[in-house]
Amino acid sequence: MINQLRIYSVPPHNRGPFLDRFRDHAVRIMSEDYGFRIQAMWTSETDDALKFVYLLNWDDKAQMRDGWAAFMANEEWAAIKKRTAAQHGDFVLGIEDLILDPTDFSAAIGEEM
């Protein structure tokens, strides 16, 4: 099992619309249509941006790659992004994507996430 940590930088003025879109649409499509396993979500705010952080877990990198490719090709998600961008402008200033492979001495080895 591997974990994926994603950190989005969001303009402060789009905090509400971004969180609404993620909660109401992205999570639903990711989870129901493509089997994404989102373990937790957090926010951290600075003067310059909202940091939206979420942790996913995957069986392996192939599952992760295939899941993301399918989600990004989803027509409903593309239409939602287009509509919300027209209403609110840029939602995401940048994305940091970290693949977290456990070390052989990690307490997470052998535990269900």
Side-chain angles (χ1 to χ4, degrees), residues 92-108:
V92 178
L93 302 171
I95 300 173
E96 187 174 356
D97 187 15
L98 303 171
I99 309 307
L100 306 174
D101 294 311
T103 62
D104 60 357
F105 53 88
S106 173

Side-chain angles (χ1 to χ4, degrees), residues 1-54:
M1 179 186 310
I2 61 168
N3 289 290
Q4 180 181 24
L5 185 70
R6 297 196 37 108
I7 304 168
Y8 294 20
S9 294
V10 178
H13 65 276
N14 273 341
R15 180 189 198 284
F18 173 85
L19 293 174
D20 291 347
R21 181 177 81 174
F22 200 89
R23 179 193 62 238
D24 298 341
H25 303 291
V27 170
R28 173 182 52 81
I29 296 168
M30 289 172 166
S31 300
E32 293 176 9
D33 295 349
Y34 303 109
F36 280 49
R37 294 187 311 261
I38 301 172
Q39 299 304 303
M41 294 175 260
W42 303 269
T43 60
S44 178
E45 297 190 50
T46 66
D47 291 338
D48 298 334
L50 166 75
K51 298 290 187 179
F52 176 74
V53 181
Y54 63 109

Side-chain angles (χ1 to χ4, degrees), residues 41-112:
M41 294 175 260
W42 303 269
T43 60
S44 178
E45 297 190 50
T46 66
D47 291 338
D48 298 334
L50 166 75
K51 298 290 187 179
F52 176 74
V53 181
Y54 63 109
L55 179 68
L56 302 113
N57 77 8
W58 303 96
D59 293 334
D60 53 43
K61 290 179 182 176
Q63 180 193 36
M64 180 185 68
R65 181 189 62 243
D66 294 347
W68 277 108
F71 173 68
M72 296 308 291
N74 181 281
E75 292 179 14
E76 179 187 7
W77 178 238
I80 291 166
K81 284 177 37 178
K82 184 177 180 178
R83 182 178 70 245
T84 55
Q87 293 172 328
H88 303 285
D90 290 335
F91 268 52
V92 178
L93 302 171
I95 300 173
E96 187 174 356
D97 187 15
L98 303 171
I99 309 307
L100 306 174
D101 294 311
T103 62
D104 60 357
F105 53 88
S106 173
I109 298 294
E111 294 179 11
E112 283 293 315

